[in-house]
Amino acid sequence: MDAKTTNGERRHIAIKLWPPSENTRQMLVERMTNNLSTPTIFTRKYGSLSTAEAIKHAKKIEESAFATANQHYEQEPDGDGSSAVQLYARECSKLILDVLKGVSRIEEKEAVISEVDSISRETFFDISKGQRAFIEEDEAQTLLSPLKEPGNSYTKICFSNRSFGLGAAHVAGPILASIKNQLKEVDLSDFVAGRPEAEALDVMNIFSEALECSNLKYLNISDNALGEKGVRAFGKLLRSQSNLEELYLMNDGISKEAAQAVCELVPSTEVLRVLQFHNNMTGDEGAIAISEILMRCPLGIALSEALAKCRNLKKIDLRDNMFGVEAGVKLSEALYKHEHLTEIYLSYLNLEDDGAIAIADALKDSAPLLEVLEMAGNDITAEAAPSLYDCIYRKKRLVKLNLSENELKDEGAIQISKALGDAHEQLKEVDLSQNSIRAAAKIVAQNLVHLPGFKCLNVNGNFISDEGIDELKDIFKECPDKLGPLDENDPDENDYDDKDGGDEDEGSEDELEAKLKNLDVNQED
C-alpha cells in the first residue's frame, strides 16, 4: 500500500466475495458429491447416485452454476459479490435436485456444459454505456466493427442511448443484415433521440429492413416517439417475427392509430410472454386494439379477458407458468377488480416474496367469497407472511389453503397459522409441506385441530424433530386421520440458512466458504 494512504482510506478498502477460490470450488464439488450419493431426505425420495456418477455430475453442476453466477457478477462489478455467491448456491441446489429427479442425466448435462462453454464467448454487444450522444458514419464504422468479425458469437445487441443519424444507419444496416440470423435479442430503444422526424423515420426503415426475417425472442423499440409513422417504419421487422416472447413499446407516443398499427403488424403472438406498453397515450380505442393482441396469446387469453371483460370470474388457474415477480405484480392489479372469485390457483409461478405480497394485498380487499387459495412452489419466505396473514385472516369462507414447497420456516408458518382462527369454520385442508418448518408445526396443529370441519394438515417434508412428531400425533390423537403422513420429514436436517450471519467480516474468504460449505438441497422447485 502507498505510504501516503491515510488511515481513513485503509478502513474503506472494498473486499470482494466473488470469485471463490479454487479450494472453495473444490470443497463445494465434494459437498455436492456427498448430497448426490449419501442418504438424505431427497435421495431417499428420488434415489441416489453411485460415487463415480455423483462426482461427475457435481463437477458439471459447479461449472454451470459458476458460469451463471459469474455472468451475473460481471453485470454489477461495483457490488461486493454477495448476490453472485447467493445465486451460485441457489443454482447448485436447483441442479442437484434436477439430477436427483432424473430430469437432467448425463446427456442433458453435456448440453448444459456445452452451453456453459458458449458463455465464455462474447454474446452481448452493447454500446449504450456512457453519456447519451449522437453517432455518425465515421464513429459507427469503428464502434460497430466487432460485429463484422468473422465467426463472432453475438446473439444480443443493445444500441440504446446512442442517436443514429442517416450516415450511421447506412453503416449499421449491412452489418446487422449479415448477423441477423444469429440474433435473438435486439434493443433499439432511444436510438433516434433529437433527430428530425424525416431522418428518424429513414433510420427506422433501414434498421427494419436489415433485421427483417430475423428470428428474435426479444425486441425493445421503446422511447422513440414512434407514433403511427414510427410503428409502420418498423413494419417489415414486426411482420416477419413469429417467435417473439418479449415486445417493449414503452413511452412511444402510441396513439389510437399507432396501437391499431401495432395490432396489424404483429402477426403472431403464440409465444408472447411480455408486452410492456406503459406511458403511452393510447386511449380506450387504442387499448381495445392492444387487447386484441393479447387475445391472440394463449397466456394472454385468460389474463386479457379477466382484465378487460370478465369481472365475474369465479375461478383463475394459472399454475405452472414461468411468470416471475413482475408478472405477479401485474396480476395483482387485476385481482383488485374481482369480487366473485371462489378459487385461485397460482402455484409454481416464480412469484417470490414481492409477487406474493402484491397478490395477497390485492386479495385482502377483494374476493370475499374465496374458498381455495393455492400458492405452492413460489419461493415465498417469512417476509411475505404478514401480507399473507392479512389476506387469509379475512377469508372466512376458505376451504383449502396450499402454501407448500416454499421457505416460510417457523416464523412464517406461525404467522399464517394465527390467521386461521375460530371464524374459519369451513376450512378443511392446509398444506405447509416442504417449508423448512421445525417447532412451528405444533403451533399450526394446535390452531387447526379444533376447527369443526377440518380434515387434513400436511406438514410432511419438513425438519420436525422426533419429539415434535410425537407432539403432533398427540394433538391429533382423537382424530389421527386429520394429520397427513410424515414419512418424508427429516428430523436430522440442518437449516443452514439460519447460520449464515455469524461473522461480520463481510468480504473475507472465510465468509464465502461458510456460505458455500452449508449448501444443501433445501428446496424443491
Side-chain angles (χ1 to χ4, degrees):
M1 182 181 293
D2 191 307
K4 295 182 180 179
T5 304
T6 67
N7 290 335
E9 288 170 328
R10 290 191 184 98
R11 285 196 297 270
H12 289 87
I13 294 174
I15 302 176
K16 301 285 188 180
L17 285 172
W18 189 265
S21 68
E22 287 301 320
N23 287 339
T24 299
R25 294 181 66 182
Q26 182 57 37
M27 173 274 295
L28 185 57
V29 169
E30 293 171 1
R31 173 76 176 173
M32 290 190 293
T33 299
N34 188 58
N35 282 335
L36 291 165
S37 59
T38 60
T40 68
I41 184 174
F42 292 105
T43 56
R44 288 195 292 270
K45 182 175 181 179
Y46 300 114
S48 61
L49 305 180
S50 68
T51 301
E53 264 191 308
I55 291 172
K56 187 172 183 178
H57 279 81
K59 288 179 179 178
K60 292 178 179 179
I61 288 169
E62 192 280 331
E63 289 173 7
S64 176
F66 179 84
T68 299
N70 199 51
Q71 189 176 34
H72 170 83
Y73 175 71
E74 288 174 353
Q75 293 173 0
E76 50 174 29
D78 295 332
D80 64 0
S82 59
S83 62
V85 172
Q86 292 167 5
L87 178 60
Y88 184 39
R90 285 200 306 270
E91 284 292 303
C92 286
S93 181
K94 176 181 178 296
L95 290 172
I96 290 171
L97 195 56
D98 283 348
V99 170
L100 291 177
K101 284 182 173 180
V103 173
S104 303
R105 291 301 182 189
I106 299 276
E107 296 81 3
E108 291 175 314
K109 285 301 169 185
E110 293 295 340
V112 169
I113 298 307
S114 175
E115 183 178 344
V116 170
D117 289 342
S118 70
I119 290 174
S120 64
R121 303 194 302 269
E122 268 195 291
T123 59
F124 185 29
F125 183 79
D126 186 2
I127 63 170
S128 67
K129 308 303 181 186
Q131 292 185 337
R132 199 177 187 203
F134 281 21
I135 177 172
E136 304 300 344
E137 183 175 354
D138 291 343
E139 185 182 1
Q141 292 280 7
T142 303
L143 200 57
L144 305 183
S145 60
L147 296 176
K148 296 190 291 184
E149 293 177 2
N152 74 74
S153 301
Y154 294 113
T155 59
K156 301 187 291 184
I157 60 171
C158 179
F159 287 180
S160 181
N161 204 40
R162 301 300 302 271
S163 179
F164 279 74
L166 199 53
H170 282 303
V171 171
I175 295 174
L176 293 178
S178 70
I179 63 169
K180 68 181 179 183
N181 291 331
Q182 69 193 53
L183 293 176
K184 297 299 178 185
E185 299 184 17
V186 171
D187 186 343
L188 300 178
S189 59
D190 193 24
F191 85 127
V192 289
R195 302 290 180 177
E197 180 183 284
E199 183 180 18
L201 292 173
D202 286 342
V203 170
M204 293 176 194
N205 271 300
I206 291 170
F207 275 78
S208 178
E209 289 180 9
L211 293 168
E212 184 180 9
C213 294
S214 54
N215 186 21
L216 302 180
K217 292 184 176 181
Y218 170 105
L219 176 61
N220 189 345
I221 50 177
S222 302
D223 300 304
N224 284 311
L226 295 175
E228 182 185 5
K229 292 180 181 178
V231 170
R232 294 196 180 279
F234 277 111
K236 290 183 178 180
L237 172 58
L238 292 172
R239 278 198 187 97
S240 67
Q241 300 305 305
S242 58
N243 290 309
L244 266 184
E245 295 179 7
E246 300 182 44
L247 176 60
Y248 295 82
L249 293 163
M250 300 172 286
N251 193 30
D252 266 332
I254 303 293
S255 61
K256 174 188 74 174
E257 293 78 14
Q260 290 168 344
V262 172
C263 184
E264 169 195 332
L265 294 171
V266 177
S268 174
T269 56
E270 291 182 2
V271 295
L272 192 66
R273 295 186 297 106
V274 177
L275 175 61
Q276 286 276 28
F277 200 74
H278 66 70
N279 200 24
N280 285 294
M281 301 181 67
T282 307
D284 290 346
E285 292 182 47
I288 292 172
I290 295 300
S291 73
E292 290 176 12
I293 297 176
L294 294 179
M295 292 291 287
R296 301 200 297 260
C297 306
L299 176 60
I301 291 174
L303 292 180
S304 61
E305 287 182 348
L307 286 166
K309 299 178 181 179
C310 300
R311 296 188 181 182
N312 294 319
L313 284 174
K314 292 186 176 181
K315 177 180 177 180
I316 294 178
D317 188 344
L318 299 171
R319 285 174 286 191
D320 295 295
N321 281 293
M322 301 295 287
F323 274 24
V325 176
E326 187 175 356
V329 173
K330 291 295 181 183
L331 176 61
S332 72
E333 296 171 5
L335 294 178
Y336 279 107
K337 303 174 183 178
H338 292 283
E339 297 299 318
H340 304 286
L341 276 178
T342 60
E343 301 176 39
I344 184 161
Y345 301 88
L346 304 176
S347 297
Y348 311 107
L349 300 182
N350 295 327
L351 297 175
E352 302 181 15
D353 285 333
D354 288 346
I357 289 169
I359 287 170
D361 289 345
L363 289 173
K364 176 182 68 176
D365 297 319
S366 62
L369 306 178
L370 194 65
E371 297 177 2
V372 177
L373 175 59
E374 289 200 5
M375 298 178 72
N378 279 302
D379 291 326
I380 301 170
T381 73
E383 183 178 337
S387 291
L388 289 169
Y389 170 92
D390 290 340
C391 171
I392 295 166
Y393 179 79
R394 298 189 184 195
K395 305 307 167 192
K396 306 302 184 184
R397 298 196 180 202
L398 201 61
V399 174
K400 180 179 179 181
L401 174 65
N402 183 356
L403 295 171
S404 62
E405 297 184 63
N406 286 299
E407 286 293 325
L408 291 168
K409 300 187 179 178
D410 280 358
E411 180 185 353
I414 290 171
Q415 290 187 68
I416 287 166
S417 70
K418 288 181 178 179
L420 301 168
D422 294 336
H424 288 82
E425 295 180 352
Q426 299 180 45
L427 188 64
K428 291 181 170 57
E429 297 179 41
V430 172
D431 191 341
L432 291 172
S433 59
Q434 298 185 50
N435 265 287
S436 302
I437 295 170
R438 298 178 183 277
K442 175 182 176 181
I443 299 172
V444 174
Q446 290 171 334
N447 285 341
L448 296 174
V449 67
H450 66 280
L451 297 179
F454 192 72
K455 292 186 176 180
C456 183
L457 170 63
N458 186 356
V459 286
N460 206 4
N462 285 301
F463 306 148
I464 307 166
S465 67
D466 291 335
E467 181 183 353
I469 288 176
D470 291 339
E471 290 175 335
L472 286 175
K473 292 178 178 178
D474 187 59
I475 292 170
F476 284 94
K477 64 183 178 182
E478 301 296 331
C479 48
D481 56 319
K482 295 183 179 181
L483 179 62
L486 295 166
D487 56 307
E488 294 183 359
N489 181 66
D490 188 356
D492 299 320
E493 180 67 24
N494 290 320
D495 190 354
Y496 295 109
D497 291 346
D498 292 339
K499 298 181 181 180
D500 284 347
D503 189 357
E504 294 298 322
D505 183 16
E506 188 171 317
S508 70
E509 182 69 21
D510 288 342
E511 179 184 352
L512 176 57
E513 293 192 9
K515 286 178 180 290
L516 295 178
K517 78 179 180 181
N518 292 332
L519 172 71
D520 208 341
V521 188
N522 54 21
Q523 66 182 37
E524 188 171 358
D525 292 336

